[in-house]
Amino acid sequence: MSNELHPSIVALVALSANIAANHPNQGLCQVDKLKGYGVAKEQIDAVIEIARHIRDEAAQKLDASFDEAYAERWAPAKPAIKPDPFANIAVVGGGGACCTSTKSGQSCC
């Protein structure tokens, strides 16, 4: 059994990586390859949608993280208080999805 991926799978992965990374070439070379391999437009469209969704979700999370750190820089200094040994006990949260679905309902997880 060979460990090599089929060229169409490699092209789909490369296309999604190009889109998610905002690569200047935009993955258009991979689109031409995928067309040549006979991959359906609907399958390529699904990969594009998922890649854009992941890219946009990552940007939103980075923006939120930046905004939080930026706001902390302007917050007044907190007064020093005696440390409470029980203050750092972890609380298990309700969890959550690792990502959300795309507009058409495609799962990216």
Side-chain angles (χ1 to χ4, degrees):
M1 181 174 168
S2 174
N3 288 334
E4 291 184 30
L5 295 172
H6 188 274
S8 65
I9 295 172
V10 173
L12 284 169
V13 171
L15 172 62
S16 64
N18 274 283
I19 292 169
N22 282 326
H23 193 282
N25 294 340
Q26 304 172 329
L28 293 172
C29 175
Q30 284 78 23
V31 171
D32 292 337
K33 287 181 181 182
L34 290 164
K35 286 174 58 179
Y37 296 136
V39 176
K41 182 181 183 307
E42 294 78 17
Q43 292 175 320
I44 298 170
D45 290 346
V47 168
I48 292 169
E49 180 183 14
I50 291 167
R52 285 178 174 167
H53 176 77
I54 290 170
R55 176 198 62 204
D56 297 346
E57 189 174 63
Q60 290 169 358
K61 288 182 179 187
L62 280 172
D63 286 347
S65 175
F66 174 85
D67 291 346
E68 182 180 323
Y70 180 70
E72 286 175 5
R73 297 219 179 336
W74 295 100
K78 296 179 182 174
I81 56 173
K82 183 178 176 185
D84 180 352
F86 299 104
N88 292 322
I89 295 176
V91 177
V92 177
C98 64
C99 66
T100 58
S101 296
T102 66
K103 289 179 185 176
S104 72
Q106 293 279 346
S107 174
C108 61
C109 295

